[in-house]
Amino acid sequence: MEKLVIEGGFPLKGEVKVSGSKNAALPILAAMLLTDEPCVIRNVPKLRDTSTMLKLLRSLGKTVDVIDDKVTILTKGEINYIADYKLVSTMRGSFCVLGPLLGKLKKAKVSLPGGCVIGVRPVDLHLKGIKALGAKLEVDGGYVLATTKGLKGAHIYLGGVFGSSVLATANVMMAAVLAEGETIIESAACEPEIEDLTNCLIAMGAKIEGKGTPRIRITGVKSLHGVSYEIIHDRIEAGTYILLAAMTRSNITIVNGCYQHLMALTDVLEQAGVNVISDGNNVKVKVKGGLQPVSVNTYPYPGFPTDLQAQFMALMAVTPGVSIITDKVYPDRFIHIAELNRMGANIRREGMCSIVQGIPVLKGAPVMASDLRASAALVIAGLAAKGKTEIHRIYHLERGYENLDQKLSMLGAKIRREKE
Ligand code: EPZ
């Protein structure tokens, strides 16, 4: 086990490169199950979660070769239809192999994913969509067994209590591309990662209209061919660096800064007095004077992303005044409050909201990483805080940020790994 030790309290400078998107890579790698032909996927970030997905593809019978950010996937023999518990339970994103396995093999047995610190994380919408396409479902021993004589297109409403679902949209799309007839998905997720998956499926020969919109229309085809595809960059990683720059008053350049996918964040930051500018590919952050508190609700895309909620809370923790933060996607995604308060922040829960009373500066302290994005919030808080911060259980970070400590050291951050 390792920890991160950070000496914070000074601005950073230089250039940081954003890696490929974790949340685009996972469904796109799962989509490789839809063809037996060779596929090459580029800009795949080296993360715990992507390596778990590659292990899962190997366990299902794919041959997987990785050279830097390029993944080559071949099919040498029979594809296995059972996705085993130990891999799916370590990374819930693996659940999105259900749709492609069912679409390609007409059967799939996938372990139900567990919950996690940010919420119960049910899969009822995934199962509703798969069932609507004509699959027979059995839940037994913690597994979902889905079988079909042949999937048939359907008109499916996929909105849930919290709005659209990213991976349920991915699962249903990947089952529908080989189904007979037309499928319309209403209240589909509009996240850029779903748009990227759609582009990849179309490049494999799928017939899909409405990408990136709440209504996706799919006309089933007989089979999909191989593909060579490059994944988009990670807007959440980029947003994390933008919030870091604002918190530490750093003049940094964020290469592949995903500006066009971060309008909800840049709009809120403009109100807070943080100027985010882009020259197309790169993004720069300028903090003019003092910061203003801004209240935020998170929503499905194009709303303010829940995956940047914790990082934004860290910024509001050192912004004079009161801001109210509510997570409409994961109402309980506030485990980072206790840790930020250990650093001197003044944040409290009031029902579904968090009330952030800004203080002048955070103080370094030993803190515990928990969910991936809460951990990122602690890193940027540590870089802004006066003194030393130790962040324990950093494997959470490694799930979704590629070489974060190296990238931050390149910006002049005093950050190092140490054995626990
Ligand atoms: C994806 O998770 C992301 N993960 C999450 O990122 C992200 O926070 C989330 O979308 C929301 O944007 C990946 O893409 C691998 P959802 P997903 O289904 O698809 C409820 C990160 O940090 N819901 O869009 O699992 C659910 O409980 C991770 O990178 C149902 O009720 O999330 C939540 O409240 C964390 N029934 C809301 O919908 C369902 O069947 C949105 O969840 C499915 C979801």
Side-chain angles (χ1 to χ4, degrees):
M1 292 262 264
E2 288 186 305
K3 63 186 175 185
L4 277 180
V5 180
I6 298 172
E7 292 293 340
F10 56 87
L12 308 177
K13 61 183 181 305
E15 203 172 81
V16 64
K17 275 197 174 53
V18 175
S19 301
S21 163
K22 166 179 87 79
N23 292 348
L26 295 175
I28 285 173
L29 290 170
M32 299 302 107
L33 292 162
L34 287 163
T35 180
D36 296 331
E37 295 183 13
C39 297
V40 175
I41 307 295
R42 288 182 175 76
N43 204 26
V44 179
K46 276 190 184 329
L47 304 166
R48 274 178 192 273
D49 279 5
T50 45
S51 65
T52 301
M53 178 58 84
L54 296 178
K55 269 189 222 138
L56 180 55
L57 291 180
R58 289 189 181 107
S59 75
L60 294 169
K62 290 289 187 181
T63 304
V64 178
D65 243 0
V66 182
I67 301 174
D68 300 330
D69 67 354
K70 187 176 104 174
V71 175
T72 303
I73 298 167
L74 305 172
T75 312
K76 285 267 182 301
E78 279 297 289
I79 294 295
N80 166 15
Y81 72 98
I82 302 175
D84 79 10
Y85 173 72
K86 59 181 182 304
L87 285 169
V88 178
S89 57
T90 51
M91 200 263 295
R92 64 171 278 111
S94 336
F95 195 66
C96 69
V97 300
L98 174 67
L101 282 174
L102 182 65
K104 184 77 173 55
L105 305 178
K106 298 189 173 35
K107 59 182 177 180
K109 185 173 178 184
V110 182
S111 163
L112 280 164
C116 67
V117 288
I118 64 176
V120 174
R121 305 195 71 180
V123 290
D124 56 301
L125 297 172
H126 299 244
L127 303 184
K128 173 185 176 184
I130 296 287
K131 210 161 161 212
L133 292 170
K136 199 160 118 344
L137 293 180
E138 277 171 59
V139 177
D140 182 34
Y143 279 84
V144 176
L145 174 63
T147 53
T148 177
K149 288 195 174 45
L151 295 176
K152 295 233 177 331
H155 195 166
I156 307 165
Y157 179 75
L158 218 42
V161 171
F162 300 97
S164 52
S165 161
V166 175
L167 288 181
T169 302
N171 248 332
V172 174
M173 273 174 66
M174 292 192 280
V177 289
L178 296 177
E180 189 195 320
E182 181 177 76
T183 296
I184 297 177
I185 303 174
E186 305 283 3
S187 189
C190 303
E191 270 71 3
E193 295 77 25
I194 292 297
E195 187 169 357
D196 206 28
L197 169 65
T198 310
N199 286 330
C200 181
L201 290 169
I202 291 170
M204 294 169 77
K207 288 196 174 16
I208 307 173
E209 292 159 43
K211 65 182 177 185
T213 77
R215 175 179 241 248
I216 292 181
R217 184 190 294 269
I218 298 166
T219 308
V221 293
K222 282 267 166 287
S223 65
L224 295 187
H225 50 71
V227 69
S228 173
Y229 191 78
E230 179 160 336
I231 287 173
I232 55 172
H233 289 98
D234 195 313
R235 64 188 167 102
I236 304 301
E237 183 188 2
T240 303
Y241 297 136
I242 290 172
L243 287 158
L244 165 65
M247 267 196 96
T248 54
R249 303 289 193 281
S250 302
N251 182 3
I252 60 175
T253 300
I254 301 156
V255 179
N256 304 318
C258 307
Y259 187 77
Q260 77 284 9
H261 290 151
L262 288 169
M263 301 304 272
L265 172 68
T266 54
D267 179 60
V268 162
L269 288 179
E270 286 297 333
Q271 297 169 51
V274 178
N275 198 359
V276 184
I277 41 198
S278 168
D279 66 0
N281 202 34
N282 298 350
V283 166
K284 273 183 167 303
V285 178
K286 288 238 175 330
V287 186
K288 292 167 292 221
L291 294 179
Q292 302 301 323
V294 180
S295 291
V296 155
N297 291 350
T298 70
Y299 287 108
Y301 194 88
F304 191 98
T306 175
D307 290 350
L308 287 175
Q309 180 257 105
Q311 301 92 313
F312 179 72
M313 185 182 282
L315 175 65
M316 289 297 105
V318 291
T319 299
V322 178
S323 57
I324 299 172
I325 298 177
T326 310
D327 199 312
K328 298 286 189 184
V329 179
Y330 294 113
D332 291 323
R333 193 177 194 172
F334 290 123
I335 196 158
H336 41 282
I337 291 178
E339 300 306 311
L340 290 170
N341 285 346
R342 286 178 51 76
M343 299 174 75
N346 180 356
I347 308 169
R348 68 179 195 281
R349 283 294 303 268
E350 288 280 328
M352 303 301 276
C353 306
S354 297
I355 317 293
V356 185
Q357 170 81 47
I359 61 164
V361 71
L362 293 171
K363 284 198 248 11
V367 289
M368 193 74 76
S370 54
D371 89 80
L372 164 59
R373 307 304 175 182
S375 316
L378 295 176
V379 170
I380 63 177
L383 289 166
K386 287 262 178 293
K388 180 167 96 166
T389 297
E390 288 195 352
I391 303 177
H392 301 273
R393 297 189 186 167
I394 56 167
Y395 56 84
H396 288 288
L397 263 181
E398 289 154 354
R399 291 192 45 204
Y401 288 89
E402 188 178 48
N403 304 327
L404 185 62
D405 43 327
Q406 285 102 311
K407 289 188 180 182
L408 294 173
S409 305
M410 299 281 281
L411 291 174
K414 287 199 186 107
I415 181 169
R416 65 179 186 280
R417 279 169 182 269
E418 276 185 8
K419 284 258 167 283
E420 277 286 13

